[in-house]
Amino acid sequence: MPLPLSRRRLLVASGAGLVLAGLTDPFRAAPARAAVTTADLVVYGATSGGLAAAITMRRLGRTAVVVEPTGHVGGLSTAGLGATDTGVQASIGGLAAEFYRRVYVRYHGGTLTPTSPLRMTFEPHVATDVFAEMLAEAGVPVVVDARLAGLGRTGNRITELRTEDGSIYRGGVFVDATYEGDLLAMAGVGFTVGRESNDTYGETINGVQSRNTHQFAYPVDPYVTAGSPASGLLPGISATPLAPQGSGDDRIQAYCFRMCLTQAANRIPFGKPSGYDPVRYELLLRHIQAGYTGPYFTTHSVGGGKTDSNNNGAVSTDNIGFNYAYPTASWATRESIIAEHRTYQQGLMWFLANDPRLPASVRDSTARWGLPVDEFTGTGGWPPMLYIREARRMISAYVMTEADCRGRVRATDSVGLASYTMDSHNCQRVVVDGKVRNEGDVQIGVPAPYPVSYRAIVPHQAQCANLLVPVCLSASHIAYGSIRMEPVFMILGQAAATAASLALAGNLAVQAVSVPALQTRLRQDGAVLEWGSTSEVILDNASTSGITRAGTWLRSTSSGGYYGPDYEHDGNVGKGVNRLRFRPTLPTAGSWTVQLRWTAHSNRATNVPVDIAYAGGLITRTVDQRQAGGQWVALGTYPFTAGSDGSVLIRTEDTDGFVVADAVRFVRA
């Protein structure tokens, strides 16, 4: 007997909305799920990378089906992560760039063209609509609520997936696009979980990392009864002594929900969740009582008066230490972990908005925020998916490492570029000298976009000859921290499907696909595979030439995400006197995109004037340094002459907070 529609849905993308099981769904329900579905490409996981793979396969003239274990389509791109972590925007090409161009058109109108700007911030429902549109145009079926139960194999090839409801999905090539890597594990592909030691791959920032970002700014007692070790540790604090710097372990970076918040009058107030336990927030209370004044979560604007709100500070939305079992757990255990994270984070917001022990200023500022009534309507405005920042990572013939990120080695079989900061959230809380301390947060910039190896998205052939893994790819913990961004997952999803099509055409193992042929087709479809030395010029505040200063500038490393060894700030004094100018030496005349980088904090200025002097002109742009920290922010594309005639001047006149000068990048258009 077929399952009822409320539990079993075969979805085909459509622009039309449908009320289904209480949800406004941007997908149209299709006839009952077939017992056996056959396609050239079977994608397990409707993440952004999985959708990109399926759409690409259809555009290449082949069939594809997406099988998603949950009820959510689009991964984190549609689940609250609307302030996209990008690194160098110009390194995003192909289908990923098209997605962000479509987002731009949704907000700004006009006709979609290959030269339309990319918009990297968006409301969740906008991302959902854009994916629905792309899936509809390609004719991609998406099956939801279909958890993997088993595989069929012949030798080193997968022949079919079997889901818990008894359905079968047969294909020539398979893609594991889940955040967890469940398909690769079931297929017998090698993987790891946790942090390698620095010695494993000759790295410097892997393993245990005791640093000062998202750290306790004031001493906080870790014990249930302050000053009494006999009373035990507060929840989430490890009793294991801090291991040596750079040593490996099985810890993974913390998870959270990426909240979409609003200050609209009809917002949904933060509710007190069932199972609320005030002891979970004792650390934060003590930190505030010690003098900490915030921020307690981010409020990155994404449009429509809404935010993408993420972890910020020593105790925030990250539920540190409660996710270690998740990557390899059963679905029942995962659901309990997800529920625990939801209770923690909803309780955190209620605590900040209501607990009478907190200063009124904290309660009032938090209560001004709430959940939007028009996002995530099926879950009361709460995000439907936990942010799985890291789970299994495949081990294949090429492991992406810190050396790739820093440009010390360059894979020759590039299938796309990554460029974001090597970023890990905290992995554990420990006791050091009788006080609580977070451990694991790393935010180290990369000098330039770098190639991701094709070998890093395919397993060893002996393990599986027809599987590609664009999400849980082969990378060390710290390299994965840079690669694990939604645009890169889409880039690698497109590459995986293109390779799958070539493998089917030649009756080849995916490992035997001609890389030059693959790269040729990817370039034809708009992918960016290389980043040459003449394509960019970067000036850091610590550069020995090309920097001039007026007034007093102070060097600092207190806020993470900076480029190079540090950044500078004006001390929030000397307004109008303090100025810093970047004057690059450009190798060729032509159009160059100017990108600025800073570290964000609530004490930064929202109105920093930046003068860009270019060939024949001068333009002033204003940047908000409380937002978009730790990434390259494009300020426009302008004509420049070769040499050092152009410049970028950071001014401080009438600014309403600290002004940061970190680095500027010129990218050849």
Side-chain angles (χ1 to χ4, degrees):
M1 173 163 314
L3 291 172
L5 186 61
S6 62
R7 290 186 58 206
R8 177 210 26 83
R9 291 176 285 168
L10 174 61
L11 304 180
V12 178
S14 168
L18 173 74
V19 176
L20 181 62
L23 303 180
T24 301
D25 203 320
F27 302 98
R28 181 187 303 138
R33 184 181 295 174
V36 177
T37 300
T38 301
D40 293 321
L41 183 69
V42 177
V43 178
Y44 187 61
T47 60
S48 61
L51 300 185
I55 293 166
T56 298
M57 199 66 165
R58 292 291 294 128
R59 291 181 178 182
L60 293 172
R62 295 185 178 274
T63 57
V65 62
V66 179
V67 182
E68 165 58 32
T70 74
H72 181 73
V73 175
L76 263 294
S77 288
T78 58
L81 205 168
T84 310
D85 298 318
T86 58
V88 180
Q89 191 179 115
S91 68
I92 302 171
L95 190 142
E98 179 188 334
F99 173 83
Y100 296 107
R101 289 190 179 102
R102 287 177 181 248
V103 169
Y104 178 89
V105 170
R106 288 266 171 170
Y107 279 99
H108 304 283
T111 302
L112 178 69
T113 71
T115 59
S116 296
L118 281 62
R119 176 169 171 138
M120 312 306 295
T121 57
F122 44 82
E123 299 155 85
H125 78 271
V126 172
T128 299
D129 290 347
V130 169
F131 271 135
E133 179 180 75
M134 296 175 75
L135 289 164
E137 292 173 2
V140 175
V142 181
V143 185
V144 302
D145 299 323
R147 292 176 179 171
L148 182 63
L151 298 179
R153 292 181 64 115
T154 298
N156 64 349
R157 288 179 176 266
I158 303 170
T159 57
E160 64 184 31
L161 307 185
R162 296 187 290 272
T163 54
E164 288 181 353
D165 68 351
S167 297
I168 296 172
Y169 301 89
R170 292 176 178 156
V173 181
F174 295 79
V175 165
D176 185 342
T178 63
Y179 292 120
E180 296 87 359
D182 289 345
L183 175 54
L184 74 88
M186 189 173 285
V189 171
F191 66 88
T192 188
V193 176
R195 302 182 288 183
E196 299 88 353
S197 72
N198 276 331
D199 292 339
T200 303
Y201 296 117
E203 297 176 302
T204 66
I205 52 175
N206 207 338
V208 171
Q209 295 291 314
S210 184
R211 293 171 177 266
N212 292 323
T213 46
H214 297 291
Q215 191 58 267
F216 288 88
Y218 299 90
V220 172
D221 190 290
Y223 302 110
V224 173
T225 301
S228 174
S231 65
L233 294 167
L234 287 167
I237 302 176
S238 173
T240 303
L242 182 64
Q245 188 91 340
S247 57
D249 58 25
D250 59 358
R251 306 285 196 266
I252 56 176
Q253 54 182 312
Y255 300 166
C256 71
F257 289 88
R258 294 294 282 255
M259 299 178 295
C260 182
L261 303 181
T262 181
Q263 294 184 337
N266 64 345
R267 65 188 179 275
I268 303 169
F270 300 121
K272 187 176 184 179
S274 174
Y276 174 82
D277 184 355
V279 76
R280 294 297 308 276
Y281 315 104
E282 181 67 21
L283 283 177
L284 179 54
L285 176 64
R286 293 179 185 179
H287 200 204
I288 293 171
Q289 291 173 338
Y292 183 67
T293 59
Y296 309 106
F297 50 90
T298 67
T299 54
H300 296 306
S301 175
V302 296
K306 300 171 189 171
T307 73
D308 167 359
S309 289
N310 191 17
N311 183 84
N312 200 353
V315 183
S316 183
T317 61
D318 279 359
N319 195 9
I320 300 171
F322 286 83
N323 62 342
Y324 301 149
Y326 183 91
T328 59
S330 66
W331 273 108
T333 300
R334 284 179 181 170
E335 286 177 346
S336 69
I337 293 171
I338 292 169
E340 203 284 331
H341 278 68
R342 185 184 303 112
T343 298
Y344 164 77
Q345 194 165 332
Q346 289 178 345
L348 171 75
M349 303 309 292
W350 188 91
F351 167 80
L352 286 168
N354 295 279
D355 195 298
R357 296 171 296 174
L358 295 174
S361 59
V362 174
R363 288 181 276 125
D364 293 344
S365 63
T366 304
R368 284 198 290 268
W369 295 99
L371 306 174
V373 297
D374 59 342
E375 300 286 355
F376 312 136
T377 56
T379 49
W382 192 259
M385 175 174 276
L386 183 65
Y387 189 3
I388 309 303
R389 290 190 171 94
E390 175 184 27
R392 294 184 180 97
R393 302 188 310 278
M394 181 171 66
I395 300 176
S396 72
Y398 193 104
V399 179
M400 300 292 296
T401 70
E402 181 185 339
D404 291 275
C405 299
R406 293 189 184 273
R408 294 171 182 161
V409 300
R410 297 183 71 83
T412 58
D413 54 344
S414 172
V415 288
L417 301 178
S419 62
Y420 193 69
T421 297
M422 290 178 283
D423 174 61
S424 172
H425 284 233
N426 277 305
C427 299
Q428 62 178 334
R429 285 197 173 110
V430 296
V431 179
V432 178
D433 297 330
K435 304 300 178 184
V436 65
R437 185 171 177 83
N438 292 339
E439 183 277 312
D441 192 277
V442 179
Q443 300 172 45
I444 304 294
V446 302
Y450 58 91
V452 178
S453 167
Y454 177 59
R455 288 164 288 168
I457 69 169
V458 295
H460 291 288
Q461 186 170 337
Q463 294 176 350
C464 193
N466 65 337
L467 175 67
L468 296 111
V469 184
V471 176
C472 292
L473 71 155
S474 179
S476 71
H477 159 78
I478 197 60
Y480 191 78
S482 171
I483 298 167
R484 62 174 182 86
M485 304 303 156
E486 295 290 292
V488 181
F489 288 154
M490 284 189 259
I491 289 168
L492 299 180
Q494 178 179 1
T498 305
S501 181
L502 292 172
L504 290 171
N507 192 27
L508 301 169
V510 293
Q511 294 83 2
V513 165
S514 166
V515 170
L518 172 59
Q519 292 174 329
T520 296
R521 181 65 208 218
L522 288 172
R523 290 190 188 96
Q524 179 182 329
D525 293 335
V528 181
L529 305 184
E530 299 91 15
W531 198 263
S533 59
T534 61
S535 297
E536 69 165 6
V537 173
I538 298 176
L539 266 181
D540 181 57
N541 68 288
S543 298
T544 57
S545 62
I547 309 292
T548 56
R549 300 171 182 81
T552 301
W553 290 86
L554 306 174
R555 291 198 163 186
S556 178
T557 59
S558 61
S559 294
Y562 49 86
Y563 182 89
D566 57 20
Y567 61 91
E568 297 179 39
H569 62 81
D570 69 341
N572 203 19
V573 296
K575 298 301 185 181
V577 175
N578 294 332
R579 296 183 171 201
L580 190 147
R581 186 184 300 272
F582 297 93
R583 189 180 297 278
T585 300
L586 300 179
T588 60
S591 294
W592 294 77
T593 299
V594 178
Q595 300 172 343
L596 194 66
R597 190 181 186 111
W598 58 84
T599 63
H601 192 276
S602 60
N603 67 5
R604 302 291 193 254
T606 64
N607 58 342
V608 179
V610 180
D611 295 340
I612 302 169
Y614 58 93
L618 176 71
I619 189 171
T620 299
R621 301 292 301 274
T622 302
V623 300
D624 179 357
Q625 293 192 336
R626 296 181 188 176
Q627 309 288 339
Q631 57 187 287
W632 294 107
V633 178
L635 302 184
T637 302
Y638 311 97
F640 289 88
T641 59
S644 56
D645 291 337
S647 70
V648 174
L649 174 66
I650 297 177
R651 295 188 283 115
T652 62
E653 289 93 325
D654 301 319
T655 49
D656 57 3
F658 287 78
V659 174
V660 169
D662 183 13
V664 66
R665 182 200 302 262
F666 289 74
V667 180
R668 190 171 61 186

